[in-house]
Amino acid sequence: MPSFDSSPTLTVWRMLLALAVVFVLLATTGWTTIRHQRTPGQTREEALIAWTQDRVGHRALPDPKAPARTVAAFFAAIGPAQGARLADTHPLVVGNLNGVPVTLRYRANRESLSRALAAERDRVDDPRLTADGRHQAVRRVHRFTSLMRPGRQILAFDPTGTGRTAEVLGDLDRAERVSVIVPGVDTNLLTFQKTARRYSAPAGMADALYAAQRRADPRTRTAVIAWADYTAPVGVGIEAAIGRLAANGSVRLVDLTAALPGDARVTLFCHSYGSVLCGVAAPRLPARVTDLVVAGSPGMRAERAADLGTRARIWAMRDTDDWIADVPHMELGGVGHGADPVAPEFGARLLSAAGATGHAGYFEPGTDSLRNFAAIGVGAYGRLTCASADSACLGGISGGTPA
């Protein structure tokens, strides 16, 4: 006779428990979904069709799904003049294509932003728009105008639906160390930067981290990427409780880290649901990713740090009044994200987040959390402040250099 543990009865109970968790989420937060709206201007699908029909001489353009090294070789072969022509003609493709020289991507995305801004300005005056639609159009005009300000380096831009983008601070081509910020729920074009609560948005997080790294070590050439180039969950609903969007975003994150120019060491700073994405991506990250830092994490889809399948050092922190501590750290039937990364048994290196307040305060200037982020970002491990007084998080590290 089969035991209860191996019987269909246990499977049924697990399914019921998973469904119960889902219904609790729906009852307390509502059913939140990604709403795709038809935006003015050329869609990505239309842009890809136009790309496949173009040529440079008799040479076909590379498949957008080709490895970054193939794309890089193509652009090196055709030269800067033809590269600039492609950026101006096919900005939505070139601006989001790994392997394209970063300065050419900046150029292409400025062109895409210019086109999107013109289309959105026309849309504001469309009498068929509802009041809410006009409000959203005005907000998009303001966002696109801001992203086009002189000096901004936009590494990715797609206005489709709620939109995606990524911005670089510093010289990515010459950087010795690159930091990538992976944000969590409610990340889209309109929330990419904020005036109020500035450091809770990806652009503000990057500004704070870049400035802190410059203070920590002015001699090290650093670059910071505010990476909002994935579709994030909307609100703390069912999409935030499962791993579908994290799995989709992890592919984009792995492709980005593999395609970064030069040989800089890379650190990922993963906040909230962004840490779920980083956990899913971990086994496929290139060796240049040496550190993976999570803050306010609901889990990384692993029971232990060793299960993440990466050689990168795993760091974790949570401030004392972060509500994420009250979220059940479990995974059952695809719901939930697994063990708590700040639990001692998980095995991460635990860092102090003193001074941070709430779930979105980790990048606030003056906090231990931001100082720790900056120290890891520049490789100054000896300056880290552990979560406990015994410096347990520095095991195997001496003299500021990993052993």
Side-chain angles (χ1 to χ4, degrees):
M1 181 175 180
S3 70
F4 179 77
D5 286 346
S6 61
S7 71
T9 304
L10 180 58
T11 301
V12 170
W13 277 109
R14 284 174 172 165
M15 291 175 62
L16 290 174
L17 180 56
L19 286 172
V21 173
V22 170
F23 286 128
V24 167
L25 283 167
L26 296 181
T28 56
T29 65
W31 188 285
T32 53
T33 59
I34 305 295
R35 290 176 290 180
H36 295 283
Q37 59 187 43
R38 177 64 167 93
T39 52
Q42 188 183 45
T43 66
R44 180 163 175 78
E45 290 73 20
E46 292 166 344
L48 289 170
I49 291 171
W51 174 263
T52 60
Q53 295 173 345
D54 202 355
R55 296 287 187 276
V56 173
H58 298 293
R59 186 194 296 256
L61 306 188
D63 186 334
K65 296 180 181 179
R69 62 181 179 276
T70 301
V71 175
F74 172 84
F75 276 86
I78 65 174
Q82 285 292 349
R85 181 188 75 80
L86 291 178
D88 294 342
T89 307
H90 306 282
L92 203 56
V93 176
V94 174
N96 296 284
L97 192 54
N98 289 320
V100 173
V102 293
T103 53
L104 204 56
R105 289 181 67 168
Y106 301 156
R107 174 177 178 144
N109 286 319
R110 177 164 285 275
E111 176 63 25
S112 285
L113 276 161
S114 178
R115 295 182 186 186
L117 178 59
E120 211 65 52
R121 280 175 171 158
D122 290 341
R123 186 166 170 261
V124 167
D125 298 322
D126 188 338
R128 295 170 296 179
L129 279 185
T130 63
D132 181 64
R134 183 169 291 104
H135 175 67
Q136 292 299 312
V138 170
R139 290 184 67 194
R140 285 167 71 91
V141 165
H142 291 162
R143 176 61 62 246
F144 299 161
T145 300
S146 176
L147 291 173
M148 287 187 68
R149 287 176 183 161
R152 298 195 75 166
Q153 302 176 133
I154 306 304
L155 185 67
F157 172 74
D158 185 348
T160 305
T162 56
R164 300 193 300 254
T165 193
E167 181 177 14
V168 175
L169 302 181
D171 188 339
L172 193 55
D173 280 318
R174 298 180 63 248
E176 299 168 289
R177 289 185 173 270
V178 175
S179 298
V180 182
I181 295 171
V182 184
V185 299
D186 290 328
T187 295
N188 56 55
L189 268 174
L190 295 182
T191 62
F192 182 69
Q193 62 189 65
K194 299 177 182 178
T195 301
R197 301 176 67 243
R198 174 186 175 190
Y199 301 111
S200 67
M205 292 175 178
D207 286 339
L209 180 58
Y210 186 60
Q213 289 180 349
R214 297 285 294 265
R215 289 193 298 270
D217 186 354
R219 296 171 298 177
T220 296
R221 297 192 302 273
T222 62
V224 175
I225 302 174
W227 190 76
D229 193 25
Y230 81 103
T231 300
V234 178
V236 189
I238 187 61
E239 285 287 12
I242 61 177
R244 183 180 70 88
L245 295 178
N248 294 342
S250 71
V251 176
R252 303 180 68 83
L253 180 62
V254 171
D255 288 347
L256 168 80
T257 54
L260 290 173
D263 57 359
R265 294 185 179 185
V266 178
T267 300
L268 304 183
F269 294 93
C270 315
H271 176 244
S272 192
Y273 187 84
S275 68
V276 183
L277 192 159
C278 288
V280 176
R284 292 167 287 135
L285 292 171
R288 69 189 306 180
V289 178
T290 58
D291 296 274
L292 199 162
V293 189
V294 302
S297 174
M300 301 181 72
R301 297 244 141 193
E303 292 306 305
R304 299 177 305 155
D307 297 336
L308 290 170
T310 177
R311 296 180 63 183
R313 287 172 291 275
I314 309 299
W315 309 82
M317 66 170 69
R318 185 170 66 221
D319 70 58
T320 55
D321 59 354
D322 187 338
W323 58 261
I324 205 74
D326 298 323
V327 172
H329 285 87
M330 54 166 279
E331 189 279 325
L332 190 60
V335 178
H337 303 302
D340 186 351
V342 301
E345 56 270 23
F346 186 79
R349 299 170 181 267
L350 303 183
L351 293 165
S352 170
T357 303
H359 186 59
Y362 293 97
F363 288 84
E364 287 282 346
T367 58
D368 270 8
S369 49
L370 181 60
R371 282 188 289 269
N372 279 328
F373 291 162
I376 293 174
V378 300
Y381 299 93
R383 300 183 190 176
L384 292 173
T385 303
C386 297
S388 58
D390 60 3
S391 298
C393 73
L394 300 179
I397 300 176
S398 63
T401 302

